[in-house]
Amino acid sequence: MVSNTESFECGYIYHIYSHANGKDLIFREDENYQYFLNKLLKYITPVADIYAYCLLPNHFHLLLRFKDVDENEHKHLMKPFSNLLNAYAKAYNKRYNRKGALFLDFLKRKKVNDERYLTKLVHYIHNNPVNHGFVNDINQWKYTSYNSYTNLSRPSKLERMPLMEYFDTTENFIKYHFSNVEYDFMDLE
């Protein structure tokens, strides 16, 4: 487990994820997902390129690469995540008349060190709704970046081309997502 005090490193790709506190839900309705995505764009895209995401009712996954920033800003890369989670939790608590922490006290993250791990993570993130039984087919879950990759002609705020280099074509990307990829969950989470 990584503490909140550990700094992110610029130029590296990270798998970032968090879970609801206890048995709470983070997302109850479509508006919640949309609000979170808007806050993600506001707080995170200034410091990181987002490659992939998946939002589920009680947790989320992000795959992103931190942009190169000057050294004074480097030690403050955790702040946008704090702002994102706090802004979302405050709005959520107000809307549902609840109090207390919405997210676990820490943001989990894992640095991506190689191509094989990166492609497995993309598969894992996009297939998360299937793995958790929310849908039978990843095309059915609308709170993931998967469909953005299957239609590259549609504009997107995601940085898709760096990931697509690993798959060459959209067809290869789709085939990979429907293939059986074995992953060691200790490496992924």
Side-chain angles (χ1 to χ4, degrees):
M1 191 133 4
V2 181
S3 72
N4 274 340
T5 58
E6 183 177 319
S7 295
F8 288 114
E9 294 181 59
C10 295
Y12 285 95
I13 298 172
Y14 286 86
H15 175 209
I16 297 172
Y17 47 105
S18 189
H19 198 279
N21 192 19
K23 294 187 185 283
D24 283 341
L25 296 178
I26 298 171
F27 308 107
R28 295 185 188 186
E29 54 190 298
D30 187 61
E31 286 179 35
N32 301 147
Y33 292 97
Q34 294 307 318
Y35 187 80
F36 186 88
L37 289 172
N38 288 336
K39 292 300 175 195
L40 188 65
L41 291 175
K42 176 181 179 179
Y43 291 111
I44 304 306
T45 57
V47 298
D49 294 323
I50 300 170
Y51 291 162
Y53 70 88
C54 182
L55 311 180
L56 294 168
N58 67 350
H59 69 284
F60 67 85
H61 294 270
L62 303 172
L63 183 64
L64 53 79
R65 182 192 152 292
F66 282 99
K67 298 175 182 179
D68 293 322
V69 294
D70 74 39
E71 265 192 54
N72 292 332
E73 292 179 39
H74 177 262
K75 51 188 158 188
H76 302 291
L77 289 176
M78 193 62 205
K79 183 89 172 122
F81 286 97
S82 176
N83 292 342
L84 164 70
L85 298 180
N86 286 333
Y88 182 80
K90 282 180 184 176
Y92 185 93
N93 283 349
K94 184 176 180 180
R95 178 174 178 103
Y96 298 106
N97 196 27
R98 73 177 293 281
K99 294 180 191 236
L102 180 61
F103 296 96
L104 293 177
D105 288 343
F106 47 86
L107 188 68
K108 296 179 183 178
R109 65 242 196 202
K110 188 138 176 101
K111 189 192 290 187
V112 178
N113 290 316
D114 63 63
E115 178 181 320
R116 190 168 161 258
Y117 180 52
L118 176 65
T119 56
K120 281 184 174 189
L121 266 175
V122 172
H123 186 281
Y124 173 74
I125 289 170
H126 287 153
N127 275 285
N128 222 254
V130 175
N131 296 339
H132 286 285
F134 291 109
V135 292
N136 293 322
D137 181 321
I138 57 178
N139 290 295
Q140 297 170 318
W141 193 255
K142 60 183 179 177
Y143 310 113
T144 178
S145 52
Y146 174 77
N147 289 322
S148 179
Y149 281 93
T150 61
N151 186 357
L152 292 174
S153 62
R154 189 173 61 208
S156 176
K157 303 277 188 200
L158 297 172
E159 287 295 327
R160 299 178 292 189
M161 297 337 300
L163 275 187
M164 286 306 293
E165 289 177 11
Y166 296 102
F167 300 99
D168 295 323
T169 66
T170 302
E171 292 76 26
N172 287 345
F173 180 86
I174 293 168
K175 277 184 204 169
Y176 181 72
H177 278 77
F178 284 90
S179 66
N180 246 349
V181 172
E182 290 187 27
Y183 15 80
D184 179 356
F185 285 99
M186 294 302 290
D187 284 340
L188 297 173
E189 291 193 354

